[in-house]
Amino acid sequence: MSSFRNHRVIIASLFLPTTAALGESSPPTPDYQITQDSESTVPQSNSANQKQQPAYRQRQPGQLPLVSIVDDLTSRVITPLASPQPDIPNPFTKFVKIASPQPGTTPSSNSAHASNSSNESSADSNASSQVPSLDRSFTLFRPRKFQTTHQDVRHSARLQRKQSRSTSRRPTSVARGSNADGGYDPWHISPNTHCNGGLKNAVDSVKGRLLQRLWVGTLGSNTDGFGSAMRKNIDKRMRETCDSVPVWIPDGEFESCYDEFCHQVLWPCLHYAVPDAPKTKCFYESASFKQYRSVNQRFADVIIENYSEGDMIWVNDYHLMLLPALLRSHPKTASAPIGFFLHVAFPSSEIFRCLSVRDSLLKGVLGADLVGFQTANYARHFRQTVSRILAYESLPKGIQVEGPVAPVSTGGEAEKEWRESAEGKKGKEKGRFVDVGVFPMGIDVNSLREKKRQPEVQYWVQLLRQRYAGMKLIVGRDKLDETQGVRHKLEAFDHFLKANPEFQGKVVLIQVALQTTESNELAGGVSDVVARINAAFSTLTYQPVVFLHVQEVTFSQYLALLTVADAFMVTSLREGMALRTHEYVECQEERNRALILSEFTGTYSYSGFRSCFAVNPYDTRGTAKAIYQALTMSDEEAASRWQDLHNHVVTQTAQAFTTSFLTRCLRAHNEHASLSTDPSLVPSLDVPRLIPKYRHSTSRLIFVDLEGCLWVRDMSKSAMMEMCKSGKGPMVELPEATMRVLESMADDPKNEIWVLSGLPVKGALERLAERVPKVGIVAENGCFVKTREISNKSGGQSNGARWINMVANLDFAWKGPCVEILNYFTERTPGSFVEERATSVVWRFWTGPPDSTAPIDDDATTTTNELCSPVNTATSPSSDSHYSDRSWARRQAAEAQNHIFDSLGERYGLRIIPGQNSFLVLPNNISRSTAVGTILHPGGPACSPLGGGAGVGDADYDGWWSSTTVGSGAGRTSGTTGGRVSSAGESTLVLGIGGDEKLLRRLNELDDAETVSTSRRGTDAKWKLDPREVLGVLGTLAQVR
């Protein structure tokens, strides 16, 4: 399988990592205007030509920077938004007056100051000289020269979007370039403060392996004033220098999509907040969905225009939920590998079903090959939502989608015509399977370690320790959205101070607020709580709550806060992965202090973070108690808790997230592509061509499926009733023709025959072993192996074979609860029954007439990979009632599989293999493919000098089998069979016949292998063969000598 390193990855995110910011590039250019070929003119002077800001946005002359929410409240009438402008002086400068660095402790920056004096104004230089500076970029009072967003716009709300984790962790500028005439453009490339910082950092962490990438997104600023010439210039420059392609969206359309639908409809729903009146109408009848669909279509158009054969497409987050289906429905990208990852939470079906556009959103996401989530709970919610709303078959591995992917942007007659087209009919017949996986995000630990060692971080650590000497610091960093639980945090802190008066004046909560919208900030209700706490507990020298905005804190200062903190507190009401907790844990490498974490974050769902102090944000007293415990625990307990947290952080990294998601996406696409391949493209087995190769080979290794190849069982209800009553019948009695063919093949000394089955040992396989002892048998999909009986050449006697238990060391305590669950569903599904085996459990949910439109098995290793056709099929035509009954049975089967997987799967390490009319539950890493790998191992029965049964019973041989269980991974080969099978000078033919695609792909890696598929679907096998012709082909080969 090819690696994602060999593909270019197109990364679609709402905001690009970099943006085109208006302003003069360095060196400065005179004030002038460039007339575009459109009617608009872009002003180049940021002072004279900018539109006057509204009065409530203006900072009054001489107003001091807002260092806490108390100061903010004093000017709330004039400045209702707590978010200050980016050019505010840094509030941390007051620490310098309290604790000035000693001579020699702060790195000198004379050269930087010299440089500043030549380019900055005298005022800026004087301000800079008041604070010790490490370098030019660290000068605190120097205002930002370039704005990443411009001010002369009407849609001011668009300027306040922020999705990144920090604005200061990125360089201040990326590139500035000259035009063809040697002059300078009226814009420059700058980091985009709105981009998804976690995604950007994750992609950058694997830049050595992800050599080819292309970002697709918006600039994050108003672009209606950009003329076509300027847009072309931006397109070219960003493509060449940043590997980015901007998506140009009208400002009004973007504002309606982002501000109204994404943040007022989708965001609350995904975070379990269904709005009440007066937002109810906006939530249920939002007309902004048209703009949301239009934005997704614009993204699709840009991606399709830039797509090349072999590219992978990675779609990110809830802003682009329609994009996968739009790409899948276009002929150019219909066969492209597409992955979708949701960076936020996904609610239960009872919440998501409240959306009026729920069907379109779900179908849009299901256009991907892989849908990824942060936690197993979010993935389970998604599977259940799809099953209950769209009535699709939901399996633990993914979703079976029926029919084609409809173009989301069409509707009415156009969509009706599309569904009636030949392509639509073809897609409806075969359907698709969409993988659903869990991929927890992490941080780039190595990069963070380098940053926290920087001199400026150590400098601020020293200042903070002197400023808050003798005090306990609790640090938080959240958006002011209602779902972030900042108000709940403050209420708990208030209760903590009241319940523990000895901590009054000794504990400070420093809350860093991330940028958000005005409506969300007001809805968060933080201001009044902060004012109440500070009014109640403040003194002349003590303020319990220090409220800072992210624009006021550089990333170095933020890392310093994490380093000196005595506790880090996250009280989100609902959140995905709180990566700031990972940063805190890494910064606490020396102090090992406590983490207080909400139970409703995705981070807490992982066992590695269970060593935190878990809190329910709605329980104010419980949260206050957790604060007390975190501040008073012993150093030994703190070190033990931190070690568990740190082990998880260094394992669940950004590199692991990116690599696992892209690898899984490519693998899922390849599997789906092979299943969707037209079977007519695979040639039928050419027996005359195979016979010469068969005749001239010195040895032959033949693997053949029993069910569906050598034996087509009668799965009708009458046959099963007969088996249940007498223990005999067509379900347990092998046909005589099958026995004779196997005997004839096994009599040839060149042949080594292995029969692969999912049946239990007792019954049909036991009879087969007695009748044809020279045939090796794999039972219960690899749980048991019967070695072959071969003659002892020296004594002329034959050594008897025996059954080997490959899973003897596994825990099967799961079988009891599993059977109970299946019995519950059996009572509610007519005609179904449970078949309990030694190491696995099968539930047959449908025993009625076959359904030609039944979905293809996702994994053919199950015992149900058979032609489940009853006797006298022609006399039992399908009817509407049969179809509805079978649909109900399939729905019940999907519910049962999800229930078993969620309650027992992770705990006991189980896998569920779905079939057309039943599914199988068995331990992980058990399959026919891994069993064959063990057989082909150099020490296995196909290659060992002991042969296929010689010496069975010897301690050494049994010891090898017990130490090479399938689950241990022993015996897995690639490209060679080892031992006798691949010995030099011998010509070994490996022939595999069956429907297990994983096994066939494995055998394809061997030299001189011929693989034949009987699954009647797309396959990677070299040949295809009708299952009814298998016995005839083997009979023909048996006569070749």
Side-chain angles (χ1 to χ4, degrees):
M1 181 181 300
S2 61
S3 169
F4 68 87
R5 303 182 187 184
N6 303 324
H7 299 259
R8 184 181 68 167
V9 180
I10 299 178
I11 307 169
S13 183
L14 186 64
F15 297 109
L16 291 172
T18 54
T19 185
L22 289 180
E24 298 173 348
S25 55
S26 180
T29 56
D31 292 343
Y32 64 95
Q33 293 182 347
I34 296 181
T35 304
Q36 309 294 335
D37 53 0
S38 61
E39 297 179 359
S40 62
T41 301
V42 180
Q44 302 306 319
S45 176
N46 288 336
S47 58
N49 297 297
Q50 283 187 344
K51 186 176 295 184
Q52 184 72 16
Q53 291 187 356
Y56 69 86
R57 295 273 184 183
Q58 297 179 10
R59 182 172 302 282
Q60 298 301 315
Q63 182 179 350
L64 295 176
L66 303 181
V67 298
S68 70
I69 199 67
V70 178
D71 299 325
D72 183 27
L73 287 175
T74 60
S75 59
R76 174 64 69 172
V77 177
I78 300 177
T79 311
L81 282 185
S83 301
Q85 297 299 327
D87 57 348
I88 296 176
N90 196 300
F92 277 72
T93 55
K94 65 180 182 180
F95 296 157
V96 180
K97 300 178 181 179
I98 301 174
S100 300
Q102 299 299 324
T105 59
T106 303
S108 176
S109 56
N110 295 333
S111 60
H113 284 295
S115 177
N116 284 345
S117 61
S118 62
N119 294 324
E120 305 290 344
S121 64
S122 59
D124 289 340
S125 300
N126 294 334
S128 302
S129 63
Q130 296 177 10
V131 182
S133 180
L134 299 170
D135 53 33
R136 180 178 179 181
S137 63
F138 197 60
T139 301
L140 298 178
F141 283 96
R142 181 170 57 89
R144 293 180 59 184
K145 187 171 183 178
F146 303 113
Q147 303 294 332
T148 57
T149 55
H150 39 287
Q151 306 293 332
D152 53 337
V153 294
R154 288 173 291 183
H155 306 288
S156 59
R158 183 172 180 176
L159 304 181
Q160 301 174 34
R161 305 299 115 210
K162 178 161 178 58
Q163 299 297 325
S164 64
R165 296 183 48 74
S166 174
T167 60
S168 57
R169 69 185 62 193
R170 305 182 183 91
T172 57
S173 181
V174 175
R176 298 183 178 96
S178 60
N179 56 32
D181 298 332
Y184 288 85
D185 293 328
W187 61 273
H188 63 279
I189 295 178
S190 170
N192 194 340
T193 60
H194 311 292
C195 79
N196 187 328
L199 174 64
K200 177 186 181 298
N201 294 337
V203 173
D204 289 344
S205 67
V206 295
K207 57 184 178 182
R209 285 173 285 179
L210 189 59
L211 303 178
Q212 303 179 66
R213 57 187 174 183
L214 182 67
W215 289 87
V216 175
T218 66
L219 298 178
S221 58
N222 289 49
T223 58
D224 281 356
F226 292 9
S228 59
M230 185 176 183
R231 295 189 181 193
K232 291 179 181 179
N233 193 322
I234 293 175
D235 286 340
K236 180 181 178 181
R237 183 79 57 78
M238 297 197 69
R239 182 65 178 268
E240 294 175 350
T241 61
C242 306
D243 293 324
S244 300
V245 177
V247 179
W248 301 101
I249 302 175
D251 295 341
E253 180 180 301
F254 182 90
E255 180 179 345
S256 178
C257 164
Y258 188 65
D259 295 339
E260 295 180 20
F261 187 78
C262 290
H263 274 261
Q264 297 184 32
V265 179
L266 266 185
W267 176 267
C269 177
L270 294 175
H271 291 80
Y272 287 76
V274 179
D276 297 325
K279 294 183 179 180
T280 304
K281 184 175 182 180
C282 176
F283 186 82
Y284 294 101
E285 303 177 4
S286 176
S288 59
F289 180 70
K290 295 181 180 179
Q291 282 69 38
Y292 179 83
R293 184 170 57 189
S294 177
V295 168
N296 278 255
Q297 184 62 58
R298 292 180 185 273
F299 268 80
D301 294 340
V302 172
I303 292 175
I304 292 170
E305 180 181 356
N306 292 273
Y307 175 80
S308 301
E309 189 69 25
D311 289 350
M312 296 178 60
I313 303 175
W314 184 2
V315 182
N316 288 274
D317 229 354
Y318 62 99
H319 315 97
L320 303 174
M321 294 182 71
L322 303 180
L323 183 55
L326 293 172
L327 296 172
R328 187 67 66 192
S329 61
H330 193 278
K332 187 176 180 180
T333 53
S335 59
I338 302 175
F340 175 86
F341 186 80
L342 187 67
H343 292 259
V344 298
F346 193 90
S348 67
S349 59
E350 297 303 317
I351 300 295
F352 196 85
R353 70 191 308 173
C354 297
L355 286 173
S356 60
V357 292
R358 59 191 186 184
D359 288 13
S360 298
L361 294 175
L362 292 177
K363 291 180 179 178
V365 171
L366 291 176
D369 293 296
L370 172 65
V371 181
F373 296 91
Q374 298 274 19
T375 71
N377 289 335
Y378 301 157
R380 183 179 72 253
H381 291 164
F382 177 76
R383 296 196 310 266
Q384 292 175 345
T385 300
V386 171
S387 175
R388 294 169 182 173
I389 294 179
L390 300 182
Y392 288 165
E393 186 176 5
S394 173
L395 307 174
K397 186 181 178 182
I399 307 294
Q400 180 64 47
V401 180
E402 298 181 0
V405 179
V408 181
S409 57
T410 61
E413 294 298 326
E415 185 172 352
K416 182 178 179 181
E417 293 177 1
W418 178 85
R419 292 188 179 278
E420 293 177 354
S421 65
E423 182 180 0
K425 293 180 180 180
K426 180 179 179 181
K428 186 175 181 180
E429 291 175 358
K430 63 183 182 182
R432 299 175 57 252
F433 190 84
V434 180
D435 279 24
V436 177
V438 178
F439 307 92
M441 287 193 72
I443 63 173
D444 187 351
V445 178
N446 295 329
S447 176
L448 184 63
R449 286 175 179 172
E450 294 178 1
K451 292 177 181 178
K452 72 178 184 179
R453 296 192 190 104
Q454 293 177 355
E456 56 263 39
V457 176
Q458 302 303 320
Y459 172 62
W460 286 111
V461 167
Q462 179 185 4
L463 292 183
L464 286 170
R465 285 175 176 169
Q466 296 183 31
R467 168 64 178 86
Y468 293 104
M471 293 188 180
K472 299 285 187 179
L473 292 184
I474 302 175
V475 177
R477 183 174 183 267
D478 310 271
K479 286 184 179 181
L480 296 184
D481 292 337
E482 189 175 3
T483 58
Q484 295 296 302
V486 178
R487 183 183 180 91
H488 298 73
K489 180 191 301 184
L490 295 170
E491 294 283 4
F493 184 67
D494 183 25
H495 189 276
F496 164 76
L497 293 177
K498 293 178 179 177
N500 303 278
E502 67 274 15
F503 281 100
Q504 295 179 11
K506 298 180 181 179
V507 179
V508 176
L509 172 61
I510 300 180
Q511 178 64 46
V512 179
L514 298 179
Q515 208 171 15
T516 185
T517 64
E518 178 181 3
S519 59
N520 288 342
E521 184 170 328
L522 295 177
V526 175
S527 304
D528 55 338
V529 183
V530 175
R532 186 178 75 241
I533 296 174
N534 284 338
F537 301 104
S538 291
T539 65
L540 186 62
T541 58
Y542 170 69
Q543 178 177 309
V545 179
V546 177
F547 207 87
L548 303 173
H549 287 82
V550 70
Q551 299 98 324
E552 303 172 322
V553 183
T554 67
F555 188 58
S556 298
Q557 295 162 354
Y558 170 64
L559 291 182
L561 281 174
L562 297 184
T563 303
V564 303
D566 294 279
F568 190 83
M569 195 169 179
V570 177
T571 55
S572 303
L573 307 183
R574 190 70 60 174
E575 189 176 1
M577 293 299 293
L579 294 184
R580 56 194 181 278
T581 60
H582 296 230
E583 296 169 342
Y584 170 74
V585 170
E586 181 58 32
C587 288
Q588 285 289 316
E589 189 171 6
E590 297 180 359
R591 305 188 66 240
N592 304 339
R593 304 320 299 169
L595 171 65
I596 304 173
L597 184 61
S598 168
E599 298 174 354
F600 301 111
T601 61
T603 303
Y604 179 73
S605 65
Y606 290 93
S607 58
F609 270 83
R610 298 299 170 87
S611 294
C612 66
F613 287 94
V615 296
N616 177 1
Y618 298 98
D619 181 7
T620 302
R621 293 184 178 181
T623 306
K625 182 179 179 181
I627 296 176
Y628 179 83
Q629 293 174 338
L631 297 179
T632 58
M633 67 176 176
S634 64
D635 292 341
E636 293 76 12
E637 180 185 355
S640 176
R641 288 176 176 268
W642 178 87
Q643 189 61 51
D644 293 339
L645 297 172
H646 187 254
N647 290 339
H648 181 81
V649 170
V650 298
T651 303
Q652 180 188 298
T653 61
Q655 292 88 339
F657 160 73
T658 307
T659 302
S660 60
F661 182 85
L662 294 178
T663 302
R664 175 76 178 275
C665 179
L666 188 59
R667 183 179 66 191
H669 172 74
N670 291 339
E671 292 177 356
H672 303 164
S674 64
L675 294 178
S676 60
T677 302
D678 190 352
S680 62
L681 301 178
V682 181
S684 298
L685 178 62
D686 189 348
V687 178
R689 182 178 175 182
L690 178 62
I691 288 178
K693 189 174 183 179
Y694 180 87
R695 176 182 289 113
H696 297 296
S697 58
T698 57
S699 61
R700 311 174 189 115
L701 185 59
I702 302 174
F703 298 97
V704 58
D705 283 348
L706 180 62
E707 303 97 298
C709 291
L710 297 175
W711 181 28
V712 180
R713 293 198 292 169
D714 184 1
M715 299 300 296
S716 64
K717 189 174 183 179
S718 59
M720 288 186 292
M721 293 297 294
E722 181 181 351
M723 181 202 69
C724 294
K725 290 180 180 179
S726 62
K728 299 180 179 180
M731 286 193 66
V732 295
E733 297 290 344
L734 284 173
E736 182 63 24
T738 301
M739 294 290 195
R740 289 197 300 267
V741 169
L742 290 177
E743 286 179 334
S744 178
M745 293 287 292
D747 287 340
D748 191 333
K750 293 183 179 181
N751 290 342
E752 184 172 334
I753 311 295
W754 288 87
V755 175
L756 313 178
S757 174
L759 297 178
V761 172
K762 295 185 179 297
L765 297 184
E766 217 170 33
R767 294 181 177 87
L768 175 61
E770 295 174 358
R771 177 75 176 270
V772 193
K774 295 182 180 181
V775 171
I777 301 175
V778 174
E780 293 201 30
N781 292 295
C783 294
F784 296 93
V785 174
K786 186 199 80 71
T787 56
R788 297 169 54 243
E789 177 185 275
I790 63 173
S791 299
N792 189 321
K793 299 179 181 179
S794 59
Q797 299 178 352
S798 55
N799 294 325
R802 76 172 193 177
W803 290 95
I804 307 297
N805 187 353
M806 305 294 291
V807 290
N809 298 327
L810 298 184
D811 182 10
F812 289 94
W814 58 269
K815 289 183 61 181
C818 180
V819 172
E820 291 183 9
I821 295 173
L822 292 177
N823 287 335
Y824 170 86
F825 284 94
T826 298
E827 296 174 356
R828 291 156 177 79
T829 309
S832 63
F833 70 95
V834 181
E835 184 180 340
E836 185 175 358
R837 300 171 178 174
T839 59
S840 58
V841 179
V842 177
W843 189 47
R844 304 194 179 277
F845 55 85
W846 179 250
T847 56
D851 183 5
S852 60
T853 63
I856 299 299
D857 293 354
D858 177 53
D859 190 329
T861 61
T862 180
T863 64
T864 55
N865 180 33
E866 49 197 275
L867 303 180
C868 303
S869 55
V871 181
N872 300 328
T873 309
T875 62
S876 303
S878 178
S879 63
D880 294 338
S881 61
H882 288 154
Y883 178 79
S884 60
D885 291 344
R886 192 179 192 284
S887 298
W888 167 254
R890 287 176 52 196
R891 290 286 302 278
Q892 289 291 90
E895 290 287 341
Q897 292 178 56
N898 287 322
H899 193 69
I900 293 172
F901 186 81
D902 295 335
S903 59
L904 303 174
E906 183 177 358
R907 180 180 177 185
Y908 291 100
L910 305 179
R911 65 192 285 246
I912 301 177
I913 307 176
Q916 294 184 6
N917 301 312
S918 63
F919 66 81
L920 172 69
V921 184
L922 75 167
N924 264 331
N925 301 322
I926 301 297
S927 69
R928 303 183 190 187
S929 176
T930 53
V932 169
T934 305
I935 292 170
L936 297 177
H937 192 275
C943 310
S944 172
L946 297 176
V952 171
D954 294 344
D956 293 341
Y957 191 76
D958 290 343
W960 180 85
W961 275 100
S962 62
S963 65
T964 55
T965 57
V966 177
S968 68
R972 299 189 180 186
T973 60
S974 61
T976 177
T977 58
R980 175 180 63 78
V981 176
S982 60
S983 298
E986 293 187 359
S987 175
T988 300
L989 170 65
V990 180
L991 177 62
I993 304 176
D996 187 344
E997 286 300 316
K998 292 183 179 178
L999 174 58
L1000 296 176
R1001 283 194 292 267
R1002 183 173 201 151
L1003 295 179
N1004 278 336
E1005 298 176 358
L1006 306 178
D1007 298 332
D1008 297 323
E1010 297 290 341
T1011 51
V1012 184
S1013 173
T1014 60
S1015 62
R1016 294 178 173 176
R1017 59 182 177 182
T1019 178
D1020 289 332
K1022 299 178 181 179
W1023 310 95
K1024 68 179 179 181
L1025 183 65
D1026 191 298
R1028 293 168 293 187
E1029 301 177 3
V1030 173
L1031 282 178
V1033 171
L1034 292 180
T1036 302
L1037 296 178
Q1039 298 175 5
V1040 177
R1041 290 292 187 266

